[in-house]
Amino acid sequence: MEKLAKSGLSKEEIIEVYKHVLRGRRLDERLWQLTRIGKSSFNISGQGAELAQVAMAMAFDPKKDYFLPYYRDMTACLVWGMTSKDIVMGTYGKDADPSSHGRQMPNHYGSKEHNIVSHSSTVSTQIPLATGVGYAAQLEGKDYVALVTTGEGSANQGEVQEAMNFAGVKKLPVIFVVENNGYAISVANREQYANDDFSYRGPAYGFPGVTIDGNDFTATYLAFKEAVERARKGEGPTLIELVVSRLTSHSADDDQSIYRSKEEIEGLKDKDPLNVFEKQLIAEKYLSREEMDQIDADLKAEINQATDEAEAEPDPSPESVYEQVWA
């Protein structure tokens, strides 16, 4: 585990990292609660990937770069500029929901204001779109970069290979990310691909591939920082495999105890990035347990307020069904 000081970030910035991670966890827990009490129809969780997503997002410039997320990337979207209220409005399907004005299912994040491109329920269709964004940057002679993420299961789709191949040939400013949590719903990664590391595919398409422990904030942040710098210089894409944990079932409609052993599920506690990061922050004297508890209390109050405000927002009117969509 790399020391946090090696990231080059200040103490204040490291504390903001912790707030982002904890906000992502507490908001994710709230979305589960809303599902369980019948106020939401669905949730697909990012618990286990929060630290990796914060490290990833902080290496970019959200004011000019584009983010094409997949459904587990709520924490990264928060770092990119979305708010807790934005997320909950999407869960409730409210008219002011920036992702789709209440026209998509939950966890399909997007924000025109923040350069977050809305995605489809058909997995990995965001990958060729990201290559298109990178191609546009190259044709326009601009230095913005496209960040696109997906899971290791859906990264086996054919269009992913086509998009990576084109980006490699054209040396496009695209960072391809595979968040490898070990399972494509119920299918373990040993049944998904033969290589030890998914990042081997990068060199096959003519650009670097890197595998990073997503629980190591500094290593993850520096890997993305280097990839972004390469892309801005016109040196082409990078494939980054983020090894993370999936602490929950695939979604609110899934039961992971059917295909994961009790021992494996209990062992996930040791891989929880929140616990790992808190221990590191205390050991390296960035925060005390008491200070963390106060941050937690403040974030819980923020999320309670966001939930109440989102629920009070109006639903889309039936007459608006044809608005905000292409004819």
Side-chain angles (χ1 to χ4, degrees):
M1 185 81 69
E2 294 278 356
K3 296 283 187 181
L4 295 171
K6 289 186 178 180
S7 68
L9 298 175
S10 67
K11 180 178 180 178
E12 291 73 21
E13 288 171 320
I14 293 295
I15 292 172
E16 281 302 306
V17 169
Y18 176 64
K19 290 179 180 178
H20 283 309
V21 172
L22 190 56
R23 179 181 287 108
R25 176 61 58 86
R26 296 295 179 247
L27 186 54
D28 196 303
E29 291 170 346
R30 172 54 48 84
L31 300 185
W32 278 107
Q33 289 175 338
L34 295 176
T35 304
R36 293 299 183 247
I37 63 176
K39 289 191 174 184
S40 170
S41 60
F42 186 74
N43 184 49
I44 192 160
S45 177
Q47 290 184 32
E50 297 99 336
L51 184 61
Q53 290 181 17
V54 175
M56 170 181 75
M58 287 190 69
F60 293 81
D61 182 352
K63 293 182 179 178
K64 66 179 179 181
D65 295 330
Y66 283 80
F67 184 25
L68 294 91
Y70 92 126
Y71 46 64
R72 294 197 196 278
D73 279 335
M74 181 190 71
T75 300
C77 288
L78 290 168
V79 179
W80 213 271
M82 295 185 77
T83 67
S84 298
K85 182 179 177 181
D86 289 338
I87 301 297
V88 182
M89 285 194 297
T91 294
Y92 279 131
K94 296 297 183 177
D95 188 56
D97 157 40
S99 296
S100 70
H101 299 279
R103 286 159 173 75
Q104 251 287 21
M105 62 190 296
N107 310 110
H108 288 60
Y109 309 111
S111 172
K112 184 177 180 181
E113 178 185 359
H114 297 105
N115 295 337
I116 301 174
V117 181
S118 299
H119 58 100
S120 164
S121 296
T122 307
V123 294
S124 287
T125 51
Q126 68 272 24
I127 307 290
L129 288 178
T131 293
V133 172
Y135 197 24
Q138 187 181 80
L139 293 173
E140 293 175 345
K142 296 182 179 179
D143 72 341
Y144 61 83
V145 177
L147 166 65
V148 63
T149 59
T150 195
E152 86 285 351
S154 51
N156 290 310
Q157 299 280 4
E159 65 261 46
V160 177
Q161 323 318 315
E162 294 168 359
M164 287 186 180
N165 184 60
F166 188 86
V169 170
K170 296 290 186 180
K171 293 190 178 301
L172 301 181
V174 185
I175 313 301
F176 297 101
V177 181
V178 174
E179 295 181 32
N180 190 342
N181 62 32
Y183 282 89
I185 307 183
S186 60
V187 180
N189 55 17
R190 63 183 175 273
E191 299 178 54
Q192 298 176 47
Y193 53 89
N195 286 335
D196 294 331
D197 296 323
F198 204 97
S199 58
Y200 289 162
R201 296 189 186 183
Y205 296 119
F207 49 84
V210 183
T211 296
I212 297 291
D213 176 3
N215 275 9
D216 188 330
F217 173 82
T218 298
T220 302
Y221 172 71
L222 293 178
F224 276 97
K225 188 176 179 182
E226 180 181 353
V228 172
E229 288 172 355
R230 285 188 67 257
R232 292 206 203 283
K233 291 177 184 176
E235 296 176 5
T238 302
L239 169 61
I240 298 180
E241 177 188 24
L242 277 181
V243 180
V244 296
S245 299
R246 198 189 81 192
L247 303 183
T248 69
S249 295
H250 171 73
S251 71
D253 296 335
D254 178 48
D255 179 4
Q256 65 179 349
S257 67
I258 295 172
Y259 52 87
R260 300 178 87 170
S261 68
K262 182 179 179 181
E263 293 73 24
E264 181 183 356
I265 292 173
E266 289 180 349
L268 291 172
K269 297 175 184 176
D270 297 330
K271 299 178 181 179
D272 185 336
L274 180 58
N275 296 339
V276 171
F277 194 48
E278 287 183 341
K279 289 177 183 177
Q280 185 176 18
L281 288 167
I282 292 171
E284 297 181 21
K285 296 182 168 44
Y286 282 90
L287 286 168
S288 66
R289 183 71 262 175
E290 292 74 21
E291 289 170 323
M292 290 178 181
D293 289 343
Q294 184 58 55
I295 291 171
D296 197 7
D298 292 342
L299 288 173
K300 287 177 179 176
E302 172 196 308
I303 291 167
N304 285 340
Q305 181 179 349
T307 305
D308 291 342
E309 291 179 357
E311 189 168 13
E313 289 284 338
D315 295 327
S317 66
E319 295 77 23
S320 69
V321 67
Y322 293 114
E323 297 175 5
Q324 308 289 348
V325 294
W326 291 101

